[in-house]
Amino acid sequence: DAGVIQSPRHEVTEMGQEVTLRCKPISGHNSLFWYRQTMMRGLELLIYFNNNVPIDDSGMPEDRFSAKMPNASFSTLKIQPSEPRDSAVYFCASTMGDTQYFGPGTRLTVL
Amino acid sequence: QKEVEQNSGPLSVPEGAIASLNCTYSDRVSQSFFWYRQYSGKSPELIMSIYSNGDKEDGRFTAQLNKASQYVSLLIRDSQPSDSATYLCAVNFGNDMRFGAGTRLTVKP
């Protein structure tokens, strides 16, 4: 299995632009998590899905952030409009049972 | 408030020593506990999971869980320079996985 796939791996954009991060979970995994990691705040859970349904989005920082999971093999995290404070590494992780498998992350820089 | 707390470190040990990493959590309704290792610039990778009180050993790693004290630890025996990384404690609060801030470990040759 290829593992969790994320794209792009790096994204540099200007403040105010829309950013879309993509994730393909491991086939057969029924839960998907989006995290954000910064030096200051560590690894923060943004939202998670169970069987494609959003379960808890209380970690989404504000309305500028949205996430979708239209099917079992694809999820997106969108930031519109982006701000410099959104700069971070965004990880997607998929889960079978308790074990989470992380993707390689997307390093986002908002100028 | 669900919280997972770790000593941020940094923790430095000489090669061959035992490294001890600690974690406390705030919610009693937690059934599964994990230790992840994260090398600089990489994603977290699972190294240990533990579900019941006591010790669980896997090679040089031992996880210890005490639910009454809401405490989980990771011991690394015969530490190697390749163990230098940030170690993240994670607690599953009913499919809501929460991570500690991580402890940075440096193993000096």
Side-chain angles (χ1 to χ4, degrees):
Chain A
D1 199 318
V4 176
I5 298 172
Q6 291 187 247
S7 65
R9 295 292 307 276
H10 302 272
E11 176 81 23
V12 180
T13 191
E14 292 186 346
M15 182 175 62
Q17 297 297 306
E18 177 180 297
V19 175
T20 299
L21 311 181
R22 298 173 176 80
C23 175
K24 176 178 170 55
I26 295 173
S27 178
H29 285 195
N30 56 0
S31 294
L32 182 142
F33 297 72
W34 281 101
Y35 293 92
R36 177 173 68 177
Q37 188 174 42
T38 61
M39 289 292 291
M40 291 297 293
R41 300 176 67 89
L43 195 64
E44 300 175 280
L45 176 66
L46 299 177
I47 185 172
Y48 74 92
F49 297 83
N50 194 36
N51 294 320
N52 311 338
V53 177
I55 302 300
D56 184 354
D57 65 354
S58 59
M60 298 285 262
E62 45 197 278
D63 292 344
R64 299 184 295 107
F65 286 69
S66 62
K68 294 181 180 179
M69 192 166 186
N71 57 61
S73 60
F74 184 65
S75 178
T76 59
L77 177 68
K78 184 178 292 187
I79 308 172
Q80 166 64 22
S82 58
E83 296 183 3
R85 59 192 169 122
D86 302 330
S87 298
V89 179
Y90 291 80
F91 288 106
C92 171
S94 70
T95 303
M96 174 62 76
D98 277 334
T99 304
Q100 288 199 345
Y101 298 85
F102 282 77
T106 296
R107 181 173 295 276
L108 173 65
T109 302
V110 183
L111 303 175
Chain B
Q1 181 68 27
K2 303 169 184 174
E3 283 189 327
V4 179
E5 296 192 24
Q6 296 181 248
N7 292 329
S8 60
L11 174 65
S12 181
V13 301
E15 183 175 355
I18 295 175
S20 178
L21 305 164
N22 305 314
C23 173
T24 58
Y25 58 97
S26 64
D27 191 306
R28 289 185 179 272
V29 185
S30 318
Q31 296 301 319
S32 47
F33 309 83
F34 307 87
W35 284 99
Y36 283 79
R37 178 176 61 200
Q38 187 175 23
Y39 292 114
S40 180
K42 302 296 185 181
S43 56
E45 57 177 330
L46 180 67
I47 54 172
M48 290 285 287
S49 59
I50 187 166
Y51 301 92
S52 52
N53 282 327
D55 295 359
K56 179 181 178 182
E57 186 174 318
D58 184 0
R60 296 186 296 109
F61 297 95
T62 299
Q64 300 174 318
L65 175 62
N66 183 325
K67 291 186 179 180
S69 300
Q70 296 174 231
Y71 176 90
V72 58
S73 66
L74 179 70
L75 300 178
I76 306 174
R77 291 182 301 280
D78 188 25
S79 296
Q80 301 296 309
S82 59
D83 295 326
S84 297
T86 295
Y87 289 80
L88 301 166
C89 172
V91 178
N92 194 341
F93 297 100
N95 208 33
D96 180 7
M97 188 77 83
R98 299 287 172 167
F99 286 79
T103 299
R104 175 171 288 197
L105 172 67
T106 300
V107 181
K108 295 185 176 180

